[in-house]
Amino acid sequence: MSELKVYNSYTRQKEVFRPITPGHVGMYVCGPTVSGESHLGHARPYITFDVIYRYLMHLGYKVRYVRNITDAGHFEEEGRAAEDKISKKAVLEKLEPMELVQKYTNLFHWAMKELNNLEPSIEPTATGHIVEQIDMIKKIIADGYAYEVNGSVYFDVKKYSENYPYGKLSGRIVDDLLETTRALEGQEEKRNKGDFALWKAVPPQHIMRWTSPWGQGFPGWHIECSAMSTKYLGTEFDIHGGGMDLLFPHHESEIAQSTICNKHSPARYWIHNNMITVNGRKMGKSYNNQIRLTEMFSGSHPLLAKGYSPMTIRFFILQTHYRSTLDFGNEALQAAEKGLRRLWEAYELLKKFSFDEFPEAKNKELDAKVVALLTDLDDFMNDDFNTAKVLANLFELVPVINSIHDKHQSPDVISTATLNMMKNYFTTYLENILGLTGDHYGDNGKLSGVMNLLIELRKEARAKKDYATSDKIRNQLQQLGILLKDEKDGNVSYSIE
RNA sequence: GGUCCUGUGGCCGAGUGGUUAGGCAGAGCUCUGCAAAAGCUCGUACAGCGGUUCGAACCCGCUCGGGACCUCCA
């Protein structure tokens, strides 16, 4: 079997994955800022890294997956009246900051659950680690790479860049950063334009504030991730992930902070997912084109023709490689919805297959093809988590399953061993690795009882050639979104939209 | 302006220098009381122009288009 290779943003190439401690993987992923509701764009990294998390565990690694909650506000925009994002909205909504944080944290957790993302091993909050952040800032000052001005502390990028490659991760040229002509206000405290805040002093009316050696204030934008990743994963860990838009300045600055404090670049492998776009443009607050997850599920948004289930969204995202942009569109979402349904229904049929033992495949060629399609899956995942290819292969197996089920092919076209292999791989890949579920295809006991009754009545009507009645049952069920399917052997199955 | 990414059939999207990605939609056929579902078959796409090569969607150059980051952003 092939080795796992991951694309490392830091080196810009695929590299064989080797954990620092054999058998163990430490992974840190930048979590949400809980000052607002998550939108579709947020679903991508958490699904991407959920699959990576699942796959690493599948490979037998013991993984510690840390994903933070950013619940301490940072500035809205550098230079502009440095307002605390969370407290600003809190005033508008007349809520306590922590009440707001709680609300959106709960909503985020709910969405993660709907999308079937596993919980991270540790989900630390920024507000819970103010002490660690302050300690880290002290250390950076002591080492001479940060300076205090009027109660705020800034990281000295120029000095750092004299000894370390600031800008390597994001492909930035330090001189450009230092000499940026960008007209920013309130920059006079900084020695150089490229410097970034480690601690920000706040005016008295600011709600979110903590006491520090430099006065009242709140931590800078990047220090929380450095502090929390160090605390829970150590000074050097395996994977650091997040959206591509975090490359600069967030991750670049994290590297700088950790390098000074820990004498180490924090992570070996930097993994970044690409963006979800709307009409080719990134979904984000800057463009005011976000569709909240609650809206995605319910369909209550002008851009949505209908609501899409969490699994449809998960599947939609996994059909694309995580490093490609993914364009939002109703047609694409509906294609995903139908495709997932077809795949899942075939999987359900496969699970129920039970035949006599067939040690020999009647169709050796087909048997070999099935085996090849299945063994490919491991290689695809090992090749930088290519979930798109995994799904493509699984789809190629759908006609094999359906044609056996429909008796277009006899069950012994493939061997029992291959059939079992297929069952195992489908479960492993669809459920365990890709994290898909079929829950919402409705199978609660009472409904199926009612359905069986209706199916029975319809069968009787058909037997009497009372097609008016049989069609009435079928058509009205269809209007309710329940599809009846007459199968070859006289059985009737149904699926719920 | 700087750095980087990208342009694939109606839509979404994989992609290795030579062989079918896949999904959805569409067409035909089979099955069927009808329908649906399912099965089989099909379109032969790779922004444009050059070049490298026996051979390029995939390598190089140019042109045109789109995007990301450079500021909070997944």
Side-chain angles (χ1 to χ4, degrees):
Chain A
M1 191 167 129
S2 56
E3 289 182 296
L4 173 61
K5 285 195 193 130
V6 304
Y7 181 86
N8 188 349
S9 306
Y10 195 73
T11 57
R12 290 157 205 245
Q13 58 189 17
K14 279 185 205 169
E15 296 175 354
V16 173
F17 179 75
R18 295 235 161 72
I20 295 164
T21 308
H24 292 256
V25 176
M27 175 163 84
Y28 188 92
V29 174
C30 290
T33 301
V34 285
S35 60
E37 224 185 295
S38 302
H39 62 246
L40 178 61
H42 292 109
R44 174 105 103 140
Y46 306 128
I47 288 171
T48 298
F49 288 101
D50 182 59
V51 170
I52 291 175
Y53 178 42
R54 288 166 178 270
Y55 189 64
L56 289 169
M57 291 194 291
H58 166 77
L59 291 179
Y61 290 112
K62 189 160 187 338
V63 185
R64 180 177 290 169
Y65 173 20
V66 180
R67 187 183 65 206
N68 65 294
I69 294 275
T70 297
D71 57 352
H74 302 320
F75 349 126
E76 198 66 49
E77 198 169 285
E78 194 181 29
R80 231 196 252 175
E83 267 177 305
D84 181 317
K85 203 198 293 186
I86 287 167
S87 67
K88 181 185 177 187
K89 199 158 188 197
V91 172
L92 295 177
E93 296 194 6
K94 302 261 196 278
L95 285 172
E96 272 300 311
M98 286 317 286
E99 189 181 354
L100 191 66
V101 159
Q102 188 70 55
K103 175 182 161 189
Y104 288 124
T105 300
N106 290 343
L107 209 50
F108 173 72
H109 284 151
W110 168 80
M112 290 301 102
K113 204 159 196 161
E114 289 289 301
L115 292 167
N116 200 220
N117 286 332
L118 298 174
E119 291 170 9
S121 325
I122 302 177
E123 194 173 52
T125 61
T127 54
H129 297 76
I130 301 291
V131 173
E132 287 83 350
Q133 296 179 67
I134 289 174
D135 282 347
M136 215 161 175
I137 296 168
K138 280 193 204 159
K139 230 169 151 182
I140 298 172
I141 295 175
D143 273 344
Y145 284 92
Y147 53 92
E148 188 214 325
V149 185
N150 301 330
S152 292
V153 181
Y154 297 98
F155 190 92
D156 191 338
V157 169
K158 189 175 176 198
K159 176 162 184 194
Y160 177 82
S161 69
E162 283 162 10
N163 302 308
Y164 306 95
Y166 189 80
K168 179 167 191 287
L169 176 69
S170 55
R172 223 64 23 158
I173 296 161
V174 175
D175 286 346
D176 293 349
L177 294 171
L178 298 179
E179 289 161 25
T180 175
T181 54
R182 199 180 177 80
L184 295 171
E185 298 165 37
Q187 290 279 67
E188 54 295 330
E189 288 183 349
K190 296 184 182 177
R191 287 184 190 164
N192 287 291
K193 299 241 168 98
D195 292 353
F196 56 88
L198 294 172
W199 187 266
K200 252 330 228 187
V202 294
Q205 67 271 23
H206 212 85
I207 304 171
M208 272 203 162
R209 56 200 297 132
W210 289 268
T211 301
S212 79
W214 317 284
Q216 295 262 306
F218 61 88
W221 341 335
H222 318 300
I223 195 72
E224 64 174 270
C225 288
S226 289
M228 296 188 285
S229 62
T230 303
K231 177 162 183 176
Y232 298 112
L233 297 172
T235 54
E236 191 189 17
F237 52 93
D238 300 296
I239 296 172
H240 191 126
M244 268 181 181
D245 49 355
L246 297 181
L247 269 164
F248 189 89
H250 187 59
H251 290 159
E252 198 70 70
S253 302
E254 263 189 76
I255 291 175
Q257 295 162 347
S258 293
T259 300
I260 295 306
C261 279
N262 303 329
K263 316 296 173 214
H264 249 302
S265 187
R268 285 206 176 169
Y269 303 92
W270 289 84
I271 301 179
H272 292 95
N273 62 277
N274 214 134
M275 303 291 105
I276 288 181
T277 58
V278 180
N279 296 322
R281 175 153 272 135
K282 173 184 165 185
M283 184 180 286
K285 70 178 173 217
S286 331
Y287 301 113
N288 206 249
N289 60 355
Q290 317 101 301
I291 305 173
R292 289 194 271 259
L293 286 171
T294 48
E295 295 168 334
M296 286 299 307
F297 300 161
S298 70
S300 57
H301 188 282
L303 283 173
L304 296 172
K306 60 188 285 281
Y308 300 98
S309 74
M311 273 313 110
T312 298
I313 289 163
R314 188 175 180 102
F315 180 82
F316 174 65
I317 287 172
L318 293 177
Q319 259 190 313
T320 307
H321 185 86
Y322 75 91
R323 282 192 292 111
S324 300
T325 54
L326 169 57
D327 201 47
F328 161 87
N330 280 291
E331 253 187 298
L333 258 323
Q334 279 166 36
E337 184 176 56
K338 288 185 186 173
L340 173 59
R341 171 181 293 275
R342 199 164 93 92
L343 184 58
W344 202 268
E345 286 180 352
Y347 171 47
E348 291 291 338
L349 294 176
L350 174 65
K351 278 197 287 190
K352 288 179 196 144
F353 276 177
S354 73
F355 306 113
D356 299 333
E357 293 280 320
F358 303 113
E360 283 285 306
K362 211 188 235 170
N363 185 339
K364 292 242 161 49
E365 200 183 322
L366 179 68
D367 192 270
K369 187 184 159 197
V370 170
V371 171
L373 284 168
L374 292 172
T375 47
D376 274 352
L377 301 181
D378 299 325
D379 292 332
F380 292 158
M381 282 306 284
N382 278 338
D383 185 15
D384 198 28
F385 314 106
N386 199 327
T387 56
K389 281 190 149 190
V390 167
L391 286 171
N393 270 26
L394 291 176
F395 266 110
E396 291 214 52
L397 293 164
V398 168
V400 177
I401 296 167
N402 284 334
S403 56
I404 292 174
H405 172 259
D406 288 346
K407 304 190 168 54
H408 288 129
Q409 303 216 60
S410 65
D412 56 353
V413 283
I414 60 172
S415 70
T416 304
T418 301
L419 181 71
N420 286 331
M421 180 182 178
M422 191 150 65
K423 283 186 185 178
N424 287 337
Y425 267 82
F426 262 78
T427 300
T428 299
Y429 271 86
L430 284 181
E431 299 203 46
N432 302 346
I433 295 175
L434 299 182
L436 295 166
T437 69
D439 295 348
H440 61 294
Y441 294 137
D443 202 6
N444 67 69
K446 283 179 186 163
L447 178 64
S448 66
V450 173
M451 286 306 301
N452 287 338
L453 174 63
L454 286 169
I455 286 168
E456 204 47 47
L457 289 173
R458 179 163 166 276
K459 263 187 193 165
E460 286 171 17
R462 291 181 71 204
K464 287 185 278 186
K465 294 206 193 291
D466 177 6
Y467 295 125
T469 302
S470 69
D471 285 354
K472 183 178 179 186
I473 292 173
R474 189 181 64 205
N475 294 339
Q476 299 215 354
L477 281 174
Q478 192 172 0
Q479 281 177 11
L480 293 170
I482 300 174
L483 237 57
L484 290 187
K485 295 175 244 184
D486 292 327
E487 306 201 3
K488 276 275 177 51
D489 48 14
N491 283 330
V492 180
S493 64
Y494 65 93
S495 62
I496 301 167
E497 275 180 26

